[in-house]
Each structure stands twice: as structure tokens, then as C-alpha cells.
Amino acid sequence: MENNFVVIMAGGVGSRFWPVSRTNYPKQFIDILGVGKTLIQQTFERFAKICPKENILVVTNEIYRDIVLEQLPDIKPSNVLGEPIMRNTAPCIAYASHKISRKNPDATIVVAPSDHLILEEENFCSIIKESISFASKNDCLITLGIVPSRPDTGYGYIQRTDKSTESNFYKVKTFTEKPDLELAKTFLKSGDFLWNAGIFVWNAKAIKTAFEKYMPEMNDIFKEGRVLYNTPKETEFIKNAYTRCKNISIDYGIMEKADNVYVRPSSFGWSDLGTWASVYDVKTDKDYVGNVVIGSKNVIMYDSANCMVRVPKNKLVILQGLDDYIVVETGDVLMVCKKSEEQMVKQIVADVKQNTGEKYI
């Protein structure tokens, strides 16, 4: 297990969970589900079953460093990697990979978002361990593909080949961005397509080689700091390095180009918790007319059904005549919108910012 490392990506701002998720305190640091633990706390505890806690790294925006240390008291401060600016997932992974490789060239690395829901943790851990074993012995890049349950247009898709090289690992044929509904239905019917969960497993040598081949400029940037990683000079080097990095995802920069990418079809009760509607979908404690209430126990509803309600704990809320609505209140903001039209939340946030400045963002 000492060669197993985990990189938790926790730099996003979670704008689709506004007004609960704010720039200064985003989604991953919030108990979105009302279960008593934040999403990053659940993620850290999950991976602590797979590798030593001292081998878990969190990559986040520099402004969230203190929040990470407060919420994860078991993490080493040196394992919280602060990004000076947002540059998507490729620089984040390049940085963490170089830092880990400097410490342990034989490392096998799991990379995962901080804000996903995993309902079947035992099954998840089993699949991750199986992937670590495969990646430690092979020059490959593994991505987990979720067996789709519906033709969802909110996820990217991975097409696998017919034949598995070893047990449950399949060579990847294509990656597809979020499709329209008709294409998503075709994908589901074919049986060859999986949802892209954004969870990766590889050994340090394989990801280093991939960066050298497909993103040499970015690789050179982080390679320059090799002797500075895990020293007091690391922070200053990273500040300069990030200003030279392209804003690009690991999917676009490497995974869609590499010829040694494998997918592990998986099913472990996964959701990326991308929207309020996705929280509604995964909550099992709906009332008899399909309402979900998180936060206050003092919500009284009349002639209302299929609503997603999240309000402060001591707030008395009366709702009448709502069907299929999202109602979210944070103290200084109240948002009420149709669940079927929640894609407007990003536009709402943009309009709020334009009309009122940063105060409510």
C-alpha cells in the first residue's frame, strides 16, 4: 500500500449549486446531502481505506487551503497543493504527478474529484484496488466508466472495444462530449458506451510518459521544479509555473489522444452531483408525494409535490401549490426555480453578478 497514492481534485467553484455554493465556500466543502459530512470529507474517508492517509494529496485553489486543513484534520499540510489560478485538470494532474514521482517513482496514482457521490463504497474500493493492481503492472492509463442507466445528456461518454485484455479492462475506442438526447439513446442501445466519471488510475511512469508525448510544453514547466518539490521553494515555483500553463482538461490534453487508454466498466451508485436535480434524484428519503427537504425540520408544504427544498436549519418555511420546483435559501439569498429548467442557474448567477457585483456570488 505504500506505493498507492490518491490525488483529490478540489478546485472547482460549483456554480450550479448556487446560492449554497459560493466562490469563497464552494460545493465540495458543504454538506450538500444533509448527511453530517461534507463531500470532500466523504471522499477523503473513502480513499483512506485504499492508501495511507499520508499518501493522499488534495489539489485546490490556494484560497481554499485553510478550509481543506480545517475539514481534513488528518491530512498533512504539505499534501494540500495550492493552485494560484484555475487552469482545469491537466496542470493540476501534472503538478501532483511530478510531486509524487519525486517522492516515489514506483507510485500508482488514483485521481478523483472531491465532490462525487458513491453509494456503494465497498464495491467502489474493490474496483479501485483492482485498477491499481492492473495499472501497477501495465503501461496504461485507466479511466472508470459508469454503466449508464438512462440516456443522460449531462455526461460525456466512453466507447469501449469488444474484447477485454485482462478481466474487466477494455481498450477505449472513442470519447464523446455530452451528446443530444437522440445520440444518447443510440449510445445506450449499443451497449458499448459508458459515462465518463472523471476518475483515473495510472502508474507514475505511465502518466509522465503521456505528458512527455502529448503535452510536452506543460510537462517541461513542471519538470523544471523537480528539485524544488517537497521543499520550502515549491510554493513560489508553482505560482510562476501556473501562469505559463494552458487552461486545458486531462481528457482533451491526453486521454482522447493516447493509444494506451483502458476503461473499467463500473457500477457503484455513482453521481457527479452536478445539479440540484441530481441531489433530488439520489435522495431516498422523499415524502409520499416526492418532496425532498434538507436542512430545516420546519418546512410545511400544502398541495406541493416533487420539490427539492434546502433551507437553513431553524427556518420556518411554508410552501403552497408548487410542483417540481427547487427552493433554496441561504439567509441572504432565496432562489425558486422549476426543476426542469435548472440549467438556467448558471445564467442566473451571471445575471446576479452583473446586477449586484460579487456580494452574492
Side-chain angles (χ1 to χ4, degrees), residues 294-314:
I294 298 174
S296 178
K297 289 185 166 64
N298 298 318
V299 177
I300 303 172
M301 307 180 77
Y302 300 94
D303 304 319
S304 297
N306 308 308
C307 291
M308 169 71 229
V309 182
R310 192 186 197 279
V311 291
K313 276 185 179 178
N314 298 317

PDB file of all heavy atoms in Angstrom, residues 294-314:
ATOM      1  N   ILE A 294     -34.018  19.281   2.880  1.00  0.00           N
ATOM      2  CA  ILE A 294     -32.718  19.224   3.552  1.00  0.00           C
ATOM      3  C   ILE A 294     -32.557  20.484   4.388  1.00  0.00           C
ATOM      4  O   ILE A 294     -32.828  21.583   3.912  1.00  0.00           O
ATOM      5  CB  ILE A 294     -31.570  19.121   2.525  1.00  0.00           C
ATOM      6  CG1 ILE A 294     -31.694  17.843   1.696  1.00  0.00           C
ATOM      7  CG2 ILE A 294     -30.210  19.149   3.222  1.00  0.00           C
ATOM      8  CD1 ILE A 294     -30.688  17.738   0.559  1.00  0.00           C
ATOM      9  N   GLY A 295     -32.108  20.321   5.620  1.00  0.00           N
ATOM     10  CA  GLY A 295     -31.868  21.472   6.477  1.00  0.00           C
ATOM     11  C   GLY A 295     -32.894  21.584   7.576  1.00  0.00           C
ATOM     12  O   GLY A 295     -32.787  20.932   8.612  1.00  0.00           O
ATOM     13  N   SER A 296     -33.915  22.401   7.356  1.00  0.00           N
ATOM     14  CA  SER A 296     -34.907  22.678   8.396  1.00  0.00           C
ATOM     15  C   SER A 296     -35.920  21.556   8.552  1.00  0.00           C
ATOM     16  O   SER A 296     -36.326  20.925   7.573  1.00  0.00           O
ATOM     17  CB  SER A 296     -35.653  23.979   8.073  1.00  0.00           C
ATOM     18  OG  SER A 296     -36.650  24.230   9.040  1.00  0.00           O
ATOM     19  N   LYS A 297     -36.317  21.325   9.801  1.00  0.00           N
ATOM     20  CA  LYS A 297     -37.412  20.387  10.076  1.00  0.00           C
ATOM     21  C   LYS A 297     -38.746  21.132  10.128  1.00  0.00           C
ATOM     22  O   LYS A 297     -39.789  20.538  10.348  1.00  0.00           O
ATOM     23  CB  LYS A 297     -37.165  19.660  11.404  1.00  0.00           C
ATOM     24  CG  LYS A 297     -36.011  18.654  11.338  1.00  0.00           C
ATOM     25  CD  LYS A 297     -35.905  17.884  12.642  1.00  0.00           C
ATOM     26  CE  LYS A 297     -35.008  16.657  12.501  1.00  0.00           C
ATOM     27  NZ  LYS A 297     -33.620  17.001  12.204  1.00  0.00           N
ATOM     28  N   ASN A 298     -38.689  22.435   9.918  1.00  0.00           N
ATOM     29  CA  ASN A 298     -39.899  23.258   9.989  1.00  0.00           C
ATOM     30  C   ASN A 298     -40.346  23.724   8.611  1.00  0.00           C
ATOM     31  O   ASN A 298     -40.542  24.921   8.372  1.00  0.00           O
ATOM     32  CB  ASN A 298     -39.666  24.475  10.893  1.00  0.00           C
ATOM     33  CG  ASN A 298     -39.346  24.075  12.321  1.00  0.00           C
ATOM     34  OD1 ASN A 298     -39.970  23.171  12.868  1.00  0.00           O
ATOM     35  ND2 ASN A 298     -38.350  24.731  12.907  1.00  0.00           N
ATOM     36  N   VAL A 299     -40.462  22.784   7.685  1.00  0.00           N
ATOM     37  CA  VAL A 299     -40.976  23.090   6.351  1.00  0.00           C
ATOM     38  C   VAL A 299     -42.359  22.470   6.231  1.00  0.00           C
ATOM     39  O   VAL A 299     -42.521  21.254   6.365  1.00  0.00           O
ATOM     40  CB  VAL A 299     -40.049  22.543   5.245  1.00  0.00           C
ATOM     41  CG1 VAL A 299     -40.656  22.804   3.864  1.00  0.00           C
ATOM     42  CG2 VAL A 299     -38.664  23.182   5.340  1.00  0.00           C
ATOM     43  N   ILE A 300     -43.349  23.311   6.008  1.00  0.00           N
ATOM     44  CA  ILE A 300     -44.737  22.846   5.883  1.00  0.00           C
ATOM     45  C   ILE A 300     -45.178  23.058   4.440  1.00  0.00           C
ATOM     46  O   ILE A 300     -45.063  24.172   3.904  1.00  0.00           O
ATOM     47  CB  ILE A 300     -45.662  23.600   6.853  1.00  0.00           C
ATOM     48  CG1 ILE A 300     -45.158  23.429   8.291  1.00  0.00           C
ATOM     49  CG2 ILE A 300     -47.099  23.098   6.736  1.00  0.00           C
ATOM     50  CD1 ILE A 300     -45.884  24.297   9.298  1.00  0.00           C
ATOM     51  N   MET A 301     -45.654  21.995   3.809  1.00  0.00           N
ATOM     52  CA  MET A 301     -45.998  22.064   2.391  1.00  0.00           C
ATOM     53  C   MET A 301     -47.463  21.712   2.170  1.00  0.00           C
ATOM     54  O   MET A 301     -47.971  20.738   2.716  1.00  0.00           O
ATOM     55  CB  MET A 301     -45.085  21.131   1.587  1.00  0.00           C
ATOM     56  CG  MET A 301     -43.606  21.389   1.852  1.00  0.00           C
ATOM     57  SD  MET A 301     -42.470  20.323   0.938  1.00  0.00           S
ATOM     58  CE  MET A 301     -42.529  21.081  -0.677  1.00  0.00           C
ATOM     59  N   TYR A 302     -48.138  22.541   1.369  1.00  0.00           N
ATOM     60  CA  TYR A 302     -49.534  22.317   1.001  1.00  0.00           C
ATOM     61  C   TYR A 302     -49.619  22.156  -0.511  1.00  0.00           C
ATOM     62  O   TYR A 302     -49.075  22.982  -1.262  1.00  0.00           O
ATOM     63  CB  TYR A 302     -50.404  23.502   1.418  1.00  0.00           C
ATOM     64  CG  TYR A 302     -50.408  23.805   2.891  1.00  0.00           C
ATOM     65  CD1 TYR A 302     -49.535  24.748   3.430  1.00  0.00           C
ATOM     66  CD2 TYR A 302     -51.301  23.164   3.750  1.00  0.00           C
ATOM     67  CE1 TYR A 302     -49.543  25.038   4.778  1.00  0.00           C
ATOM     68  CE2 TYR A 302     -51.319  23.456   5.117  1.00  0.00           C
ATOM     69  CZ  TYR A 302     -50.430  24.393   5.620  1.00  0.00           C
ATOM     70  OH  TYR A 302     -50.441  24.690   6.965  1.00  0.00           O
ATOM     71  N   ASP A 303     -50.308  21.114  -0.938  1.00  0.00           N
ATOM     72  CA  ASP A 303     -50.522  20.907  -2.387  1.00  0.00           C
ATOM     73  C   ASP A 303     -49.225  21.055  -3.173  1.00  0.00           C
ATOM     74  O   ASP A 303     -49.199  21.638  -4.263  1.00  0.00           O
ATOM     75  CB  ASP A 303     -51.562  21.916  -2.930  1.00  0.00           C
ATOM     76  CG  ASP A 303     -52.880  21.838  -2.184  1.00  0.00           C
ATOM     77  OD1 ASP A 303     -53.316  20.721  -1.890  1.00  0.00           O
ATOM     78  OD2 ASP A 303     -53.450  22.906  -1.893  1.00  0.00           O
ATOM     79  N   SER A 304     -48.142  20.546  -2.619  1.00  0.00           N
ATOM     80  CA  SER A 304     -46.837  20.644  -3.281  1.00  0.00           C
ATOM     81  C   SER A 304     -46.216  19.256  -3.407  1.00  0.00           C
ATOM     82  O   SER A 304     -46.288  18.455  -2.469  1.00  0.00           O
ATOM     83  CB  SER A 304     -45.894  21.563  -2.493  1.00  0.00           C
ATOM     84  OG  SER A 304     -46.402  22.879  -2.449  1.00  0.00           O
ATOM     85  N   ALA A 305     -45.624  18.974  -4.552  1.00  0.00           N
ATOM     86  CA  ALA A 305     -45.068  17.648  -4.809  1.00  0.00           C
ATOM     87  C   ALA A 305     -43.797  17.753  -5.650  1.00  0.00           C
ATOM     88  O   ALA A 305     -43.585  18.739  -6.376  1.00  0.00           O
ATOM     89  CB  ALA A 305     -46.104  16.778  -5.530  1.00  0.00           C
ATOM     90  N   ASN A 306     -42.932  16.718  -5.523  1.00  0.00           N
ATOM     91  CA  ASN A 306     -41.734  16.562  -6.364  1.00  0.00           C
ATOM     92  C   ASN A 306     -40.771  17.756  -6.260  1.00  0.00           C
ATOM     93  O   ASN A 306     -40.084  18.082  -7.221  1.00  0.00           O
ATOM     94  CB  ASN A 306     -42.136  16.349  -7.830  1.00  0.00           C
ATOM     95  CG  ASN A 306     -43.152  15.237  -7.981  1.00  0.00           C
ATOM     96  OD1 ASN A 306     -42.944  14.130  -7.495  1.00  0.00           O
ATOM     97  ND2 ASN A 306     -44.265  15.533  -8.643  1.00  0.00           N
ATOM     98  N   CYS A 307     -40.728  18.382  -5.078  1.00  0.00           N
ATOM     99  CA  CYS A 307     -39.882  19.558  -4.903  1.00  0.00           C
ATOM    100  C   CYS A 307     -38.573  19.219  -4.191  1.00  0.00           C
ATOM    101  O   CYS A 307     -38.515  18.318  -3.359  1.00  0.00           O
ATOM    102  CB  CYS A 307     -40.622  20.635  -4.113  1.00  0.00           C
ATOM    103  SG  CYS A 307     -41.993  21.364  -5.015  1.00  0.00           S
ATOM    104  N   MET A 308     -37.530  19.970  -4.527  1.00  0.00           N
ATOM    105  CA  MET A 308     -36.225  19.884  -3.869  1.00  0.00           C
ATOM    106  C   MET A 308     -36.072  21.141  -3.023  1.00  0.00           C
ATOM    107  O   MET A 308     -35.960  22.252  -3.548  1.00  0.00           O
ATOM    108  CB  MET A 308     -35.130  19.810  -4.943  1.00  0.00           C
ATOM    109  CG  MET A 308     -33.696  19.975  -4.449  1.00  0.00           C
ATOM    110  SD  MET A 308     -33.091  18.590  -3.515  1.00  0.00           S
ATOM    111  CE  MET A 308     -32.423  19.445  -2.095  1.00  0.00           C
ATOM    112  N   VAL A 309     -36.116  20.986  -1.691  1.00  0.00           N
ATOM    113  CA  VAL A 309     -36.098  22.130  -0.783  1.00  0.00           C
ATOM    114  C   VAL A 309     -34.868  22.042   0.123  1.00  0.00           C
ATOM    115  O   VAL A 309     -34.648  21.032   0.789  1.00  0.00           O
ATOM    116  CB  VAL A 309     -37.382  22.172   0.091  1.00  0.00           C
ATOM    117  CG1 VAL A 309     -37.368  23.399   0.997  1.00  0.00           C
ATOM    118  CG2 VAL A 309     -38.636  22.152  -0.786  1.00  0.00           C
ATOM    119  N   ARG A 310     -34.058  23.097   0.129  1.00  0.00           N
ATOM    120  CA  ARG A 310     -32.905  23.167   1.044  1.00  0.00           C
ATOM    121  C   ARG A 310     -32.889  24.541   1.684  1.00  0.00           C
ATOM    122  O   ARG A 310     -32.680  25.556   1.000  1.00  0.00           O
ATOM    123  CB  ARG A 310     -31.590  22.913   0.314  1.00  0.00           C
ATOM    124  CG  ARG A 310     -30.419  22.678   1.280  1.00  0.00           C
ATOM    125  CD  ARG A 310     -29.108  22.578   0.537  1.00  0.00           C
ATOM    126  NE  ARG A 310     -28.060  21.975   1.324  1.00  0.00           N
ATOM    127  CZ  ARG A 310     -27.326  22.605   2.240  1.00  0.00           C
ATOM    128  NH1 ARG A 310     -27.563  23.875   2.525  1.00  0.00           N
ATOM    129  NH2 ARG A 310     -26.353  21.976   2.885  1.00  0.00           N
ATOM    130  N   VAL A 311     -33.135  24.597   2.984  1.00  0.00           N
ATOM    131  CA  VAL A 311     -33.236  25.866   3.714  1.00  0.00           C
ATOM    132  C   VAL A 311     -32.484  25.739   5.041  1.00  0.00           C
ATOM    133  O   VAL A 311     -32.220  24.631   5.510  1.00  0.00           O
ATOM    134  CB  VAL A 311     -34.718  26.235   3.972  1.00  0.00           C
ATOM    135  CG1 VAL A 311     -35.417  26.586   2.672  1.00  0.00           C
ATOM    136  CG2 VAL A 311     -35.456  25.098   4.676  1.00  0.00           C
ATOM    137  N   PRO A 312     -32.126  26.866   5.652  1.00  0.00           N
ATOM    138  CA  PRO A 312     -31.389  26.817   6.934  1.00  0.00           C
ATOM    139  C   PRO A 312     -32.153  26.068   8.020  1.00  0.00           C
ATOM    140  O   PRO A 312     -33.383  26.021   8.018  1.00  0.00           O
ATOM    141  CB  PRO A 312     -31.228  28.300   7.294  1.00  0.00           C
ATOM    142  CG  PRO A 312     -31.285  29.010   5.984  1.00  0.00           C
ATOM    143  CD  PRO A 312     -32.260  28.237   5.151  1.00  0.00           C
ATOM    144  N   LYS A 313     -31.394  25.513   8.964  1.00  0.00           N
ATOM    145  CA  LYS A 313     -31.946  24.609   9.976  1.00  0.00           C
ATOM    146  C   LYS A 313     -33.110  25.175  10.767  1.00  0.00           C
ATOM    147  O   LYS A 313     -34.084  24.494  11.018  1.00  0.00           O
ATOM    148  CB  LYS A 313     -30.831  24.171  10.947  1.00  0.00           C
ATOM    149  CG  LYS A 313     -30.023  23.010  10.429  1.00  0.00           C
ATOM    150  CD  LYS A 313     -29.028  22.523  11.457  1.00  0.00           C
ATOM    151  CE  LYS A 313     -28.254  21.318  10.899  1.00  0.00           C
ATOM    152  NZ  LYS A 313     -27.241  20.847  11.851  1.00  0.00           N
ATOM    153  N   ASN A 314     -33.039  26.405  11.214  1.00  0.00           N
ATOM    154  CA  ASN A 314     -34.062  26.946  12.102  1.00  0.00           C
ATOM    155  C   ASN A 314     -35.108  27.793  11.380  1.00  0.00           C
ATOM    156  O   ASN A 314     -35.867  28.515  12.008  1.00  0.00           O
ATOM    157  CB  ASN A 314     -33.406  27.792  13.203  1.00  0.00           C
ATOM    158  CG  ASN A 314     -32.476  26.942  14.054  1.00  0.00           C
ATOM    159  OD1 ASN A 314     -32.815  25.820  14.416  1.00  0.00           O
ATOM    160  ND2 ASN A 314     -31.298  27.454  14.355  1.00  0.00           N
TER     161      ASN A 314
END
